[in-house]
Structures are given as structure tokens and as C-alpha cells.
């Protein structure tokens, strides 16, 4: 499972730096399956599968844009991508990413730009974990052939 791979990465983060985002609680789900079920009920299995697949792809692109914006110190571009991720994650059942995006948005509102950029690395890891779990969940549910998620190293 993807979560096992990523748990090791999260636990190996440098402990000398303060943790800027809330710890992911083990009982707190990365994915809200009730939201996915509602999406299926309101559309269809095929449409829900397609929508979530597009969401995952789009989010990966936005995460890359966030990293590029951070490297060029483009706070507006960074925040723009973050806000889209924040709103789209709740629609597609990505509970963990939604709550972490909210924490980053709050850092920006508090004018803590240094903390915002430091928190982005952990945010990116949470994003990969939750997107991986979401991908595995929908692929398993719809019996699609797939390779399990691979860990992307930076």
C-alpha cells in the first residue's frame, strides 16, 4: 500500500526543524470514501472514475507549479495553485490534502511566508500520499489494472 511507503518518508524528516503543519492522525483518513460514493451516485461509476483520475492528474500539475512558484518566489502563483487544490480536494474526497491546504492558506493570511514555504515540502508529501491512496482506492473499486503508486523522491 502507498501509505506504508510514505509513512517511512514522513517519519524520516529532519526533527531539528519545527513541524509546521498539523500531524496527520492515524485515525484521520486521507480519503473520504463517503464523498467518493456521493460522486458515484450523482454521476456514474465511469464518470466518477474519470473525474477523480483527472483531478489526480491536475493536482500533480498544480503541485509542480507550486514548487516552481516557490523557487521563483512567486507568492501569488504559489497561492493561486494552493487555493485551487484546497477547493478541488474536498470535492474529490481528498480530506488530508484539503485540511493541509487550509493550514498553508492560514500561514499566508498570517503573513508567515517563510513558514509557508518551509511547510510546502511536507504538504507535497501529504499530497503524494493522499493522491496515491485515492488512486489506489478508485482503481481497486473499479477493478482497473494498474501499477501501485511509486514514491517520487526529490
Amino acid at each position: 500500500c502507498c501509505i506504508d511507503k510514505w509513512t517511512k518518508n514522513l517519519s524520516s524528516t529532519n526533527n531539528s526543524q519545527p513541524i509546521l503543519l498539523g500531524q496527520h492522525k492515524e485515525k484521520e483518513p486521507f480519503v473520504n470514501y463517503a464523498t467518493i460514493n456521493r460522486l458515484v451516485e450523482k454521476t456514474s461509476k465511469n464518470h466518477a472514475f474519470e473525474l477523480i483520475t483527472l483531478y489526480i492528474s491536475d493536482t500533480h500539475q498544480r503541485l509542480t507549479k507550486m514548487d516552481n512558484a516557490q523557487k521563483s518566489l512567486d507568492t501569488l502563483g504559489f497561492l493561486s495553485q494552493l487555493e485551487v487544490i484546497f477547493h478541488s480536494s474536498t470535492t474529490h474526497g481528498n480530506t488530508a490534502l484539503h485540511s493541509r491546504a487550509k493550514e498553508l492558506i492560514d500561514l499566508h493570511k498570517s503573513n508567515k511566508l517563510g513558514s509557508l514555504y518551509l511547510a510546502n515540502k511536507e504538504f507535497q508529501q501529504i499530497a503524494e500520499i493522499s493522491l496515491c491512496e485515492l488512486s489506489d482506492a478508485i482503481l481497486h473499486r473499479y477493478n482497473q489494472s494498474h501499477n501501485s503508486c511509486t514514491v517520487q523522491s526529490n
Side-chain angles (χ1 to χ4, degrees):
C1 178
C2 295
I3 301 303
D4 294 333
K5 294 176 190 175
W6 279 100
T7 304
K8 292 176 186 170
N9 283 353
L10 283 178
S11 64
S12 67
T13 55
N14 184 351
N15 290 333
S16 64
Q17 291 185 3
I19 296 175
L20 301 170
L21 297 180
Q23 291 288 343
H24 183 80
K25 299 171 184 72
E26 248 181 73
K27 293 181 181 179
E28 179 185 356
F30 281 94
V31 174
N32 182 330
Y33 294 96
T35 300
I36 295 172
N37 289 335
R38 277 193 303 276
L39 190 59
V40 170
E41 289 170 11
K42 292 183 182 216
T43 60
S44 70
K45 285 185 179 183
N46 289 338
H47 285 112
F49 177 82
E50 184 177 341
L51 289 170
I52 292 172
T53 302
L54 289 171
Y55 158 75
I56 291 169
S57 175
D58 180 71
T59 302
H60 279 294
Q61 291 172 9
R62 291 184 186 283
L63 292 166
T64 299
K65 289 178 183 179
M66 280 178 66
D67 268 349
N68 292 338
Q70 178 176 345
K71 289 174 187 168
S72 64
L73 300 177
D74 176 9
T75 304
L76 186 58
F78 182 92
L79 189 62
S80 173
Q81 299 304 318
L82 179 61
E83 287 181 347
V84 172
I85 290 171
F86 170 72
H87 292 292
S88 64
S89 60
T90 191
T91 302
H92 296 91
N94 196 334
T95 307
L97 192 57
H98 178 76
S99 63
R100 295 317 179 272
K102 172 73 169 110
E103 291 174 17
L104 264 70
I105 290 168
D106 289 346
L107 285 173
H108 178 264
K109 287 179 180 176
S110 301
N111 205 26
K112 297 179 180 177
L113 298 182
S115 296
L116 172 68
Y117 286 145
L118 284 173
N120 185 39
K121 182 174 182 173
E122 184 182 349
F123 177 75
Q124 295 275 337
Q125 290 175 332
I126 294 291
E128 290 300 324
I129 295 168
S130 62
L131 292 171
C132 189
E133 182 178 318
L134 184 58
S135 177
D136 281 354
I138 63 164
L139 291 172
H140 176 74
R141 178 180 177 138
Y142 303 116
N143 297 319
Q144 304 289 326
S145 61
H146 72 288
N147 298 328
S148 50
C149 294
T150 57
V151 174
Q152 296 178 1
S153 59
N154 292 332

